[in-house]
C-alpha cells in the first residue's frame, strides 16, 4: 500500500498579489531565487507556502534551493508556522524534509489538517515519545488504522503503547488489513496485557536492526550464484546465537512473540515459525520481514506445523518459484489436493525421484510415477 500524499499546488489567492510575480512559471530567475532562499519580507506561514510552491514547480534550480532553505530553517520558526497551515501537501513535504527533527514532526502530527498517510509514515520512524503523542488521537487511528499498522512495525514504539491501541481496535471491531498476523490475534479475542512484558524495549530495537542488516545482506547476495548464496547463508546461520534468543522468546507473552514475528530478523522468524501457538507461528508465516530463502527452506521442512505448510501452498507468489513448489511436493504435510496439482509442474527427473520417495503419501509417489512414465514414454515415441 502506497502512503504517498498527492502534493497539490497552492492557491495563489492565499498570498498577497505582489508575491505572485515570484511564483509564476514565467517569473524571472532572480525573483524565483529570492523566494527560494526565503528572502522575501513575509510572514513565516507565507514563507512556507512559497517554498512549498517552488518545491513542486518545474524549475529544478528553484526547487533545489527551496528544499535547501526548508532543510536549514530553524525549528522555532517552522513549528509555529506549521501550526497555522492547512495545506496537506505542504505539511507532508515539511515532514519528509525534516523527518529527523522531533519538534517539527510533533507539530505535523498534532495538526488536524495533516493527511493520515503523512502521520502513518511518521509513525513508522518516530521515537517512543512521538509515538505516544500519535497514539493519543484515538479517533484518527480508528478512522485510519494504517497509522497503527505502521507504528506496530516501528521497534521504537513502546509495547505498552501498541498494546493499548490494539485493545482499542479490537474493542471497536477495526480491521488491520496490513498486518494479517496481528489481525488474527485480534480476531481470536487474545488480550493485550503490557504488564506481562518480559523483555526490555531495547530488545525489539536490536532485533529490528538485525532484520535491516539481513535485508541489505540478502540484496548483496543477489549477485552471487545459487551455490555461493547457500554457502554464505549457511555460514551466517552458524553464527546466530539461537539458544540465547530462544530462551528469551520462551519467556515472552503471545503479544510480544507476535510483534517479534512482525519486526524481527530471520533468526527470530525461524524460531517463531515452530512455536506451538498457532497465532504465533502464523504471524511468522505472514511476517512483512519474511525473505525468500526462508520460504524455500520452510516449504520442505517436515517439522513445521501443518498450518504453515498449507499456508505456503496457498500463496501463488510462493508457488510461482520452482524450488518452493518442489519442496512442497516432498513435504507430507502439504495438503494432498495441492500436491497432486503441483506434480504437473515438476520436471521429469524430479518426478522420477518422487516416485521412489517413501516419506511422502503413496498417492503422491504413485501419481509422480504415472506422470514420469507418461512423459518418458511420450519422449521415446
Amino acid at each position: 500500500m502506497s502512503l504517498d500524499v498527492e502534493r497539490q499546488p497552492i492557491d495563489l489567492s492565499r498570498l498577497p498579489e505582489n508575491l505572485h510575480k515570484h511564483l509564476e512559471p514565467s517569473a524571472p530567475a532572480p525573483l524565483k531565487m529570492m523566494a527560494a532562499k526565503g528572502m522575501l519580507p513575509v510572514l513565516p506561514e507565507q514563507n512556507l507556502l512559497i517554498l512549498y510552491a517552488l518545491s513542486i514547480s518545474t524549475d529544478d534550480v528553484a526547487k533545489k534551493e527551496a528544499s535547501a532553505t526548508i532543510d536549514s530553517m530553524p525549528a522555532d520558526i517552522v513549528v509555529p508556522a506549521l501550526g497555522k497551515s492547512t495545506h496537506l501537501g505542504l505539511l507532508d513535504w515539511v515532514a519528509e524534509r525534516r523527518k529527523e527533527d522531533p519538534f517539527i514532526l510533533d507539530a505535523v502530527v498534532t495538526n488536524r489538517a495533516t493527511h493520515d498517510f503523512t502521520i502513518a509514515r511518521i509513525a513508522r520512524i518516530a521515537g517512543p515519545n512521538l509515538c505516544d503523542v500519535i497514539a493519543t488521537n484515538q479517533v484518527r487511528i480508528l478512522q485510519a488504522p494504517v497509522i497503527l499498522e505502521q507504528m506496530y512495525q516501528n521497534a521504537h514504539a513502546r509495547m505498552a503503547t501498541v498494546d493499548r491501541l490494539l485493545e482499542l481496535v479490537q474493542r471497536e471491531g477495526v480491521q488491520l488489513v496490513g498486518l494479517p498476523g496481528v489481525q488474527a490475534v485480534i480476531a481470536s479475542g487474545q488480550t493485550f496485557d503490557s504488564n506481562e512484558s518480559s523483555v526490555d524495549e531495547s530488545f525489539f530495537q536490536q532485533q529490528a536492526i538485525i532484520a535491516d542488516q539481513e535485508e541489505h545482506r540478502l540484496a548483496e547476495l543477489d549477485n552471487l550464484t545459487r551455490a555461493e548464496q547457500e554457502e554464505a547463508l549457511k555460514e551466517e546461520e552458524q553464527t546466530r546465537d539461537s539458544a540465547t534468543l530462544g530462551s528469551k522468546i520462551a519467556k515472552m507473552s503471545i503479544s510480544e512473540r507476535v510483534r517479534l514475528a512482525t519486526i524481527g530478523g530471520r533468526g527470530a522468524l525461524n524460531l517463531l515459525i515452530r512455536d506451538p501457538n498457532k497465532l504465533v507461528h502464523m504471524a511468522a508465516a505472514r511476517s512483512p520481514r519474511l525473505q525468500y530463502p526462508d520460504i524455500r527452506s520452510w516449504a520442505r521442512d517436515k517439522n513445521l506445523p501443518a498450518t504453515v505448510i498449507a499456508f505456503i501452498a496457498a500463496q501463488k507468489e510462493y508457488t510461482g518459484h520452482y524450488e518452493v513448489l518442489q519442496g512442497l511436493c516432498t513435504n507430507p504435510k502439504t495438503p494432498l489436493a495441492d500436491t497432486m496439482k503441483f506434480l504437473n509442474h515438476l520436471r521429469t527427473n524430479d518426478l522420477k525421484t518422487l516416485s521412489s520417495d517413501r516419506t511422502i503419501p503413496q498417492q503422491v509417489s504413485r501419481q509422480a510415477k504415472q506422470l514420469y512414465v507418461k512423459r518418458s514414454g511420450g519422449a521415446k515415441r
Side-chain angles (χ1 to χ4, degrees), residues 105-321:
L105 293 185
D106 186 284
V108 173
V109 301
T110 54
N111 188 321
R112 293 185 178 183
T114 302
H115 197 288
D116 293 334
F117 286 177
T118 303
I119 294 181
R121 295 206 316 274
I122 294 173
R124 186 68 176 81
I125 62 170
N129 293 335
L130 186 54
C131 283
D132 288 347
V133 172
I134 296 172
T136 60
N137 193 339
Q138 296 184 351
V139 173
R140 186 190 280 269
I141 288 173
L142 290 175
Q143 293 174 344
V146 66
I147 296 172
L148 173 53
E149 293 173 2
Q150 293 299 307
M151 186 188 297
Y152 190 86
Q153 298 176 74
N154 180 355
H156 295 283
R158 295 184 178 94
M159 198 72 205
T161 302
V162 295
D163 277 355
R164 187 169 63 251
L165 292 177
L166 289 175
E167 288 179 343
L168 172 69
V169 299
Q170 184 181 53
R171 187 168 60 247
E172 298 298 327
V174 173
Q175 301 281 313
L176 297 183
V177 295
L179 294 175
V182 181
Q183 179 56 40
V185 179
I186 293 173
S188 74
Q190 170 73 37
T191 58
F192 301 93
D193 187 357
S194 300
N195 294 325
E196 297 179 10
S197 181
S198 62
V199 295
D200 187 88
E201 293 288 347
S202 62
F203 172 77
F204 291 103
Q205 296 168 21
Q206 293 166 358
Q207 290 300 309
I209 291 172
I210 291 172
D212 288 339
Q213 293 171 341
E214 288 174 342
E215 287 182 4
H216 290 306
R217 176 61 174 149
L218 285 171
E220 294 173 353
L221 293 181
D222 281 344
N223 297 323
L224 303 181
T225 65
R226 175 54 54 79
E228 290 172 333
Q229 289 178 5
E230 293 288 357
E231 185 62 28
L233 292 174
K234 186 176 180 181
E235 290 177 0
E236 291 175 6
E237 179 76 29
Q238 293 172 346
T239 63
R240 291 180 189 155
D241 188 358
S242 297
T244 300
L245 181 57
S247 64
K248 287 188 175 182
I249 289 175
K251 299 175 183 177
M252 297 170 72
S253 66
I254 292 176
S255 178
E256 288 173 325
R257 279 179 280 161
V258 169
R259 191 171 187 214
L260 181 59
T262 306
I263 66 177
R266 299 179 64 220
L269 287 177
N270 277 293
L271 291 172
L272 294 168
I273 199 68
R274 292 167 171 77
D275 195 286
N277 188 294
K278 181 179 179 181
L279 294 173
V280 177
H281 65 239
M282 288 307 296
R286 295 183 172 107
S287 174
R289 290 287 200 173
L290 199 53
Q291 300 289 334
Y292 173 68
D294 297 309
I295 290 295
R296 187 176 65 211
S297 173
W298 293 353
R300 63 179 66 250
D301 193 333
K302 300 175 177 63
N303 296 316
L304 292 188
T307 47
V308 171
I309 302 302
F311 175 77
I312 294 173
Q315 307 307 307
K316 291 184 178 179
E317 61 181 301
Y318 297 154
T319 57
H321 294 274

